[in-house]
Amino acid sequence: MQNICKDCKYYLSLDVFNGLCKKTKKDIAPDDTEKSCYEKQQMCKFCKKFTFSQTNESLGNCMELVIAYPDMIAKTCRDFIWK
Amino acid sequence: MNEEYNCFEKNNDSDIGKGEAVKKPALRVEKSRNLYFESKSSASMEFPYWYTRRWEELDGDILIVRRGEALKSGFEHLTPTIYPGELIVMGKTSYLRGSYPMPWLSEAYFMDAEDEMYKEALESGKLSSDQVSTMGKGGGNVTESVGNVISIAGKFGLRKEEMPILLEVAKKWKDKSVDDVGHKYEQLVPEYSEKEAIMRSVVCMFDSGYTIPQGREVINYYYPLQYGIDGIIDICQESIGKVAGSPDMDRLYFYKSVMSVLEGIKTWILNNAKEAEFMASLEKVVEQKKEYLEIAERLTRISSQPPESFHDALQMTWIFHLAVLNEDTISGLSPGRLGQVLYPFWKRDIDRGVLDNSKTLELLECMRMKYTELDCFASMGVVGGVLSGNTFNNLSLGGLTKDGNSAANELEMLILEAGITCDTPQPTLTMLYDEKLPEEFLLKGIECVKTGSGYPAWVDNRTAMEFIVKNFSAEGMGTEEARAWAVGGCLETSAGSWMPLNLNGKVYWIPGGSAPATSVGVHFISLPKLLELVLYRGEDKRIGERVFSDHKIKLDSYENIWKAFQNYFRKAVKALTLTNNIQHDAWRKITPSIVNSFLKPDCLKNGRDIGSQGSRYNTTFNIETCGTVNLINSLASLKKNVFDEKKYTIDEYIKAVESNFGFRTAEESGSYSLFDQVKKIDYSKWKKIHKHSLDAPKFGNDDEYVDSIYREWQNWFCSMAHEYTSLYDKPMYACQISVSSHAPMGAATLATPDGRLCGTAFADGSVSAYPGTDRNGPYALFSSATCWEHSLSQNSQMNIKIHPSVVKGRLGSKKFLELIRGYMRKGGFHIQFNIVDSRMLRDAQENPDKYRGLMVRVAGFTQYWAELGKQIQDEVIARTEYEKI
């Protein structure tokens, strides 16, 4: 998996097209790849309790119970556990 | 970016210019504004995901408790975001211009066109207004899908990876949303099939119960400012102890739901405090690091306690404003008389020497940016056709205090100054004009409007109070309380109350809203379209469908045409009132308001939400109309040309209208005003009748021939509206603003007997002249506009365009103020101005990139030119421009 800016804990979203790097203060796009300061942020896809859907890569399950989506930021989720 | 902004002032063509006063905001605000200009409207799925998840988890619980928990979960899970340089923080979502769909209200409009839910909505006429609306192609609108971003409703961008979850969540609400449940039951209304046809033909713009069910009202910040969040939780806890197990148990559930939501809001604030700390930990610039830490401290403090300073109080009002906006799809939630609400905090800080005017101004500019960033996620017909992308947060200034003195204060002077230095669309400003207001204050308002911002609008305080007392007297409204009124949304006169704020050992009576949403009920009836149906005996020629059964009235006299019109108008009002009452009932039962409710006196006191009439005043449903002046001009034309002078038969008129007087339609010509229209080959056949139609008496020229028709309409409409009752069994009333609906509703209407062409916009507002037809100057327009009693209606709306050179200098300002005074003294309720050169607007239409910061006044709101659809742009350009007053 590539280090995509929108998955980084230093990514500050401006809109669906653009963002800023909280660390370098540079303008970045969510889909940019960054190697220097990338650090994963809490997202469903990085959570131990999340399982990807077999049929749709943009969907999955949380705790095998409820539908969820991998790209949701889980910074505020009390149940998040790193994979 | 900085240089591009206001670049139109640097235009070398000396004849093209804007207002004279040019000031800049603080550097940090300029940067925020540039960031705003670079950002696009973006949708997020966080809140709807967590709301729906929690809602499902609590299946079977008491509904309002379930709703409270669902909202709590939404707030708790919002990703916190703090942007560099902000002094007022937090937003609706983690995007700068963020918003999100609320499928619990309605879900069909953002489904794929092939989806069954979308097709069903189309069939029932719910999406008809979408088809005749246009969205601005520039600015922050995401008008088409690009790369990993999908465009929704021609405005909102959603990341591609979030689309599957949007569809999954939306499907969970199928047959359960307010829209679907309301639709199920509205079909039991005997007139339902007529209502569907009304919607498909765009006689009515949209349903009100599930589209924007709250708003056009004034928020009340009293409880958070007085008690803080913990204090309100304590009130709820104490009240629960009193009502648990006692009769009228709904109170228990209401208090429980308020506690849940407050816990969610508290967590949301604290999450942002933590984010500010995180931002501080990364920051190397000492000043910025300090600011982040102060933000964290402030948020932590007000997450539980009442504000300790003006800055705290301003931040707190913003948070609660957002909290209300996040509970429903809302347009027109107005901060009301914010300068009077916050004055006690401001004055204390000034007296203590911890705040000065310069810092206050900077904070107010920051506040303006936050309001400007607001977006409302809704369908194309609503957000494009009616709202023009605006959210109508109207800040009122002036008016009177509780004991009847001028309420203007120094902080309001600074709010006006911030409106000049930071000229952004939000919050728009309205001057509650009263003869008691100081001249200096009024002239500050003039200085502001002369910048070309379109605000403040000017409304007559006494006319509004008269309306308020008449409308709410059955609920105990008196003169003193009427003084607490303010404008909600564009121009909806809204009831308020005085609440006792204890600060520094003193009691300050602060005004705030005390009635729920207005402009709910019947949302925009197109008057010219109804006249068209009268001429074609109930058939809509545009869509080839019968809307009403034949009125069976011989159109052989003016009186009979008027009679047939009244007949159809009543039919439309009846069908729409009954069906919308059902939708609103579904709304209050499925998604009752909790945040807005506990803020509004006296919900917290009596334990009832606003859907259970917990507010102090509840007579708020209205009947909104659009295209008044085109209706009146058309009636005058028929009266003159067919019946008085017998130049043509009514059948000849019907044919001329259907032939669009020999012109191509607006859609074909690409022009939505009378400018630049294209003639058809057989134009000469209709030339004479078109000329006579255009030459017939027109409203706005102090001509009794047409003004008497106008007066008859107003007296009849304002009176008949009371015959219909809201869901709460309260009489409805007339509301006469067009917002942007005069463009899409014009697009759905054939030519009209006044000479207007097919598909072109109607005149805006309700007392604005049709563009180019007011030929005798502003005072003649004022005489026509005041030929009836304005306090009979919730509002009347007048737009005037004046060339900047006319009001130049101090003398120009005084002349300008006298013009406004002249209108108010004649009995006018509302007037607003575009101080702009029309040639610049044409240039901006051709070169939008040069004019990113250009704003115009539309009809009750100011919007960036680049974000307006072409229909409205054309209409604004065409408006009469006064070159002398």
Side-chain angles (χ1 to χ4, degrees):
Chain A
M1 201 180 279
Q2 274 192 314
N3 296 342
I4 303 170
C5 283
K6 72 179 171 60
D7 296 351
C8 172
K9 71 185 275 191
Y10 301 118
Y11 181 69
L12 173 60
S13 61
L14 178 61
D15 61 21
V16 284
F17 297 101
N18 297 297
L20 304 164
C21 176
K22 293 176 187 173
K23 212 166 182 182
T24 65
K25 297 185 180 178
K26 280 184 191 163
D27 291 343
I28 45 173
D31 299 312
D32 283 353
T33 50
E34 175 60 57
K35 291 188 179 101
S36 60
C37 69
Y38 178 85
E39 237 181 283
K40 267 195 259 184
Q41 71 166 327
Q42 289 184 198
M43 294 176 89
C44 289
K45 62 185 166 191
F46 302 135
C47 176
K48 211 172 178 177
K49 294 176 180 172
F50 181 81
T51 45
F52 276 93
S53 158
Q54 300 293 310
T55 54
N56 190 328
E57 61 177 13
S58 295
L59 293 172
N61 274 295
C62 176
M63 297 187 271
E64 294 181 355
L65 286 172
V66 287
I67 196 163
Y69 59 108
D71 284 284
M72 183 159 62
I73 297 170
K75 199 172 181 173
T76 56
C77 180
R78 280 190 288 262
D79 294 316
F80 181 86
I81 300 174
W82 286 103
K83 242 176 204 167
Chain B
M1 181 62 82
N2 196 10
E3 283 185 4
E4 282 174 24
Y5 175 69
N6 275 349
C7 67
F8 43 87
E9 287 172 62
K10 293 170 190 153
N11 199 313
N12 289 330
D13 183 346
S14 57
D15 287 329
I16 300 180
K18 58 169 293 205
E20 65 201 56
V22 180
K23 294 178 180 174
K24 296 273 182 190
L27 186 61
R28 74 166 76 236
V29 181
E30 190 70 70
K31 284 182 180 172
S32 292
R33 186 158 59 180
N34 289 340
L35 203 61
Y36 171 83
F37 283 151
E38 288 162 15
S39 70
K40 303 286 180 190
S41 292
S42 300
S44 148
M45 275 306 292
E46 266 180 357
F47 201 105
Y49 170 80
W50 285 105
Y51 181 102
T52 305
R53 179 167 162 168
R54 186 68 180 139
W55 177 267
E56 290 199 321
E57 282 169 1
L58 294 175
D59 189 14
D61 203 338
I62 300 290
L63 196 133
I64 194 167
V65 175
R66 204 174 162 194
R67 163 103 165 132
E69 281 289 312
L71 287 168
K72 176 186 176 185
S73 185
F75 282 115
E76 282 179 344
H77 289 95
L78 278 171
T79 296
T81 307
I82 310 281
Y83 291 101
E86 290 185 324
L87 292 175
I88 303 295
V89 297
M90 294 172 62
K92 280 178 90 170
T93 75
S94 58
Y95 293 121
L96 191 81
R97 296 184 68 174
S99 62
Y100 50 84
M102 297 190 183
W104 45 92
L105 283 175
S106 179
E107 74 287 11
Y109 69 92
F110 48 75
M111 303 301 283
D112 187 86
E114 294 308 308
D115 191 280
E116 282 308 311
M117 286 154 80
Y118 184 88
K119 285 181 186 166
E120 282 168 25
L122 201 61
E123 178 63 24
S124 61
K126 291 176 182 179
L127 301 174
S128 299
S129 62
D130 292 24
Q131 296 168 325
V132 291
S133 300
T134 59
M135 188 70 77
K137 295 291 178 196
N141 296 337
V142 181
T143 53
E144 51 189 46
S145 302
V146 185
N148 285 331
V149 174
I150 291 169
S151 167
I152 301 175
K155 178 172 175 68
F156 309 98
L158 180 76
R159 295 283 306 175
K160 208 173 189 173
E161 57 271 20
E162 290 190 54
M163 197 62 195
I165 194 69
L166 168 61
L167 299 179
E168 289 297 323
V169 169
K171 280 175 189 162
K172 286 176 185 288
W173 289 97
K174 181 168 164 46
D175 300 330
K176 293 174 187 167
S177 67
V178 174
D179 181 356
D180 292 352
V181 174
H183 184 58
K184 184 173 156 188
Y185 292 104
E186 70 175 345
Q187 292 177 65
L188 302 177
V189 171
E191 292 83 359
Y192 177 73
S193 59
E194 212 161 60
K195 184 255 175 176
E196 263 201 5
I198 284 170
M199 300 310 290
R200 280 195 294 270
S201 70
V202 199
V203 166
C204 176
M205 193 69 191
F206 59 88
D207 290 322
S208 68
Y210 58 85
T211 48
I212 36 175
Q214 294 196 74
R216 286 76 60 203
E217 62 186 292
V218 179
I219 194 172
N220 199 313
Y221 303 117
Y222 169 72
Y223 284 99
L225 293 176
Q226 177 67 48
Y227 298 100
I229 291 177
D230 282 358
I232 306 173
I233 291 175
D234 288 346
I235 291 172
C236 292
Q237 193 69 62
E238 204 180 304
S239 302
I240 283 174
K242 285 180 190 160
V243 301
S246 301
D248 197 3
M249 207 72 74
D250 285 348
R251 292 176 296 169
L252 169 67
Y253 310 129
F254 173 68
Y255 289 124
K256 182 74 185 70
S257 69
V258 173
M259 284 177 70
S260 295
V261 177
L262 281 169
E263 283 157 11
I265 292 172
K266 198 173 166 129
T267 306
W268 177 42
I269 300 170
L270 287 171
N271 285 341
N272 277 278
K274 276 184 220 153
E275 177 66 11
E277 282 171 6
F278 177 63
M279 294 294 279
S281 73
L282 301 174
E283 187 57 57
K284 291 189 177 66
V285 178
V286 179
E287 233 358 78
Q288 177 67 79
K289 192 182 190 82
K290 188 171 162 259
E291 277 183 12
Y292 282 138
L293 291 173
E294 281 171 0
I295 288 168
E297 275 174 34
R298 178 168 303 106
L299 292 181
T300 305
R301 187 163 57 243
I302 62 175
S303 71
S304 59
Q305 300 305 312
E308 288 181 2
S309 65
F310 172 71
H311 194 160
D312 280 10
L314 186 61
Q315 176 68 66
M316 190 166 224
T317 56
W318 172 242
I319 290 172
F320 276 89
H321 207 89
L322 282 176
V324 176
L325 293 175
N326 272 5
E327 83 164 346
D328 241 333
T329 304
I330 296 179
S331 72
L333 181 73
S334 293
R337 291 155 74 168
L338 190 66
Q340 293 162 31
V341 171
L342 295 179
Y343 183 76
F345 297 94
W346 180 80
K347 187 74 172 72
R348 187 175 64 173
D349 284 4
I350 292 285
D351 291 346
R352 282 176 177 171
V354 295
L355 184 68
D356 59 22
N357 285 356
S358 161
K359 186 69 190 171
T360 307
L361 189 61
E362 189 178 36
L363 287 171
L364 292 171
E365 289 168 353
C366 288
M367 173 199 79
R368 290 198 64 82
M369 284 317 304
K370 296 312 285 183
Y371 276 95
T372 298
E373 287 160 16
L374 289 173
D375 261 340
C376 170
F377 192 100
S379 68
M380 167 78 101
V382 173
V383 81
V386 181
L387 311 182
S388 276
N390 203 280
T391 53
F392 315 101
N393 302 269
N394 205 331
L395 195 157
S396 296
L397 305 152
L400 297 176
T401 59
K402 187 169 181 276
D403 53 5
N405 293 315
S406 161
N409 63 42
E410 307 98 290
L411 181 58
E412 290 192 323
M413 289 288 276
L414 290 167
I415 288 173
L416 282 163
E417 180 68 12
I420 297 169
T421 55
C422 183
D423 51 342
T424 56
Q426 300 283 338
T428 191
L429 305 175
T430 296
M431 180 71 79
L432 312 187
Y433 175 86
D434 195 282
E435 295 282 339
K436 286 193 173 181
L437 294 179
E439 191 80 354
E440 183 197 0
F441 184 66
L442 295 170
L443 284 170
K444 188 74 189 171
I446 293 290
E447 181 192 344
C448 186
V449 76
K450 278 171 64 174
T451 62
S453 61
Y455 55 73
W458 301 71
V459 296
D460 185 61
N461 189 48
R462 305 288 169 136
T463 304
M465 282 174 56
E466 208 175 311
F467 167 80
I468 291 276
V469 170
K470 272 191 272 201
N471 196 56
F472 296 101
S473 59
E475 295 184 273
M477 176 64 76
T479 305
E480 187 180 90
E481 186 116 298
R483 291 184 188 125
W485 85 280
V487 175
C490 271
L491 190 50
E492 281 90 340
T493 306
S494 300
S497 293
W498 301 103
M499 299 298 281
L501 181 80
N502 291 278
L503 196 72
N504 243 7
K506 271 180 77 178
V507 175
Y508 297 86
W509 290 97
I510 59 169
S514 59
T518 175
S519 285
V520 282
V522 179
H523 261 304
F524 303 110
I525 294 184
S526 171
L527 303 179
K529 184 75 188 175
L530 274 184
L531 181 63
E532 177 190 311
L533 292 174
V534 167
L535 297 180
Y536 294 97
R537 301 190 165 276
E539 198 184 336
D540 183 346
K541 291 283 177 186
R542 182 182 72 95
I543 58 169
E545 190 180 333
R546 176 160 290 284
V547 179
F548 297 118
S549 55
D550 188 347
H551 49 68
K552 292 186 177 152
I553 295 172
K554 270 183 114 179
L555 301 179
D556 57 359
S557 68
Y558 171 77
E559 289 69 28
N560 275 356
I561 288 182
W562 175 231
K563 194 174 149 191
F565 179 84
Q566 288 174 303
N567 175 344
Y568 277 175
F569 188 80
R570 278 188 185 281
K571 273 173 172 278
V573 170
K574 186 179 179 194
L576 292 166
T577 300
L578 296 174
T579 51
N580 277 282
N581 276 350
I582 287 177
Q583 290 164 15
H584 280 280
D585 195 43
W587 168 79
R588 69 173 177 163
K589 288 189 163 87
I590 297 169
T591 60
S593 161
I594 298 173
V595 188
N596 203 14
S597 286
F598 77 72
L599 293 173
K600 284 264 160 81
D602 298 305
C603 293
L604 209 50
K605 202 166 150 189
N606 60 34
R608 294 179 197 284
D609 65 277
I610 57 181
S612 307
Q613 299 189 69
S615 305
R616 195 170 294 182
Y617 303 103
N618 299 282
T619 312
T620 60
F621 277 45
N622 58 26
I623 301 167
E624 278 187 299
T625 53
C626 173
T628 308
V629 165
N630 289 100
L631 166 74
I632 301 306
N633 287 345
S634 294
L635 288 173
S637 175
L638 291 175
K639 189 170 191 278
K640 182 97 175 165
N641 291 322
V642 178
F643 302 110
D644 288 356
E645 297 183 359
K646 300 187 182 3
K647 287 192 182 99
Y648 307 95
T649 65
I650 191 72
D651 287 340
E652 283 172 317
Y653 248 102
I654 290 170
K655 281 178 193 152
V657 163
E658 203 170 340
S659 301
N660 198 28
F661 295 109
F663 283 86
R664 299 217 172 274
T665 65
E667 203 179 355
E668 289 164 345
S669 69
S671 169
Y672 297 91
S673 71
L674 287 191
F675 289 162
D676 305 323
Q677 290 300 336
V678 181
K679 291 168 190 162
K680 289 192 287 195
I681 300 167
D682 64 346
Y683 163 72
S684 55
K685 189 177 162 190
W686 309 105
K687 189 178 172 183
K688 206 169 139 197
I689 191 169
H690 193 219
K691 185 178 184 315
H692 283 134
S693 301
L694 292 171
D695 288 347
K698 294 285 183 283
F699 171 85
N701 294 292
D702 195 11
D703 180 343
E704 182 59 15
Y705 189 89
V706 61
D707 291 354
S708 63
I709 297 173
Y710 190 95
R711 190 182 308 113
E712 185 175 15
W713 152 253
Q714 286 293 354
N715 289 339
W716 179 75
F717 172 45
C718 294
S719 165
M720 68 79 75
H722 300 313
E723 295 168 22
Y724 299 84
T725 51
S726 74
L727 165 66
Y728 305 113
D729 202 21
K730 309 279 187 208
M732 292 167 77
Y733 51 86
C735 173
Q736 307 187 66
I737 55 174
S738 67
V739 198
S740 299
S741 67
H742 55 290
M745 296 194 106
T749 306
L750 301 184
T752 37
D754 58 349
R756 179 199 140 271
L757 298 179
C758 175
T760 58
F762 300 145
D764 76 276
S766 56
V767 288
S768 301
Y770 185 68
T773 62
D774 43 336
R775 301 188 183 106
N776 296 338
Y779 288 96
L781 175 60
F782 292 173
S783 291
S784 292
T786 54
C787 71
W788 61 291
E789 172 52 49
H790 285 205
S791 70
L792 293 174
S793 172
Q794 188 184 20
N795 41 39
S796 62
Q797 189 170 50
M798 179 182 282
N799 261 300
I800 283 191
K801 192 160 76 179
I802 297 179
H803 192 278
S805 61
V806 179
V807 291
K808 211 171 177 180
R810 181 83 181 165
L811 192 64
S813 293
K814 291 201 164 178
K815 217 163 54 170
F816 197 179
L817 182 54
E818 283 313 307
L819 179 84
I820 295 166
R821 272 205 178 106
Y823 186 53
M824 301 285 156
R825 284 174 181 166
K826 276 179 94 69
F829 169 64
H830 162 272
I831 189 163
Q832 62 191 14
F833 304 90
N834 273 305
I835 308 297
V836 67
D837 186 326
S838 300
R839 286 169 297 175
M840 186 179 76
L841 298 180
R842 277 184 174 272
D843 190 39
Q845 203 172 35
E846 283 164 27
N847 306 291
D849 293 342
K850 275 171 63 188
Y851 295 89
R852 182 61 184 93
L854 173 63
M855 304 191 300
V856 289
R857 195 72 178 172
V858 182
F861 65 99
T862 291
Q863 182 58 299
Y864 286 118
W865 180 257
E867 303 209 2
L868 290 170
K870 187 165 189 304
Q871 293 167 326
I872 288 289
Q873 286 186 347
D874 284 353
E875 183 269 312
V876 174
I877 288 173
R879 286 178 192 171
T880 309
E881 179 179 301
Y882 286 109
E883 292 184 344
K884 60 179 179 182
I885 55 174

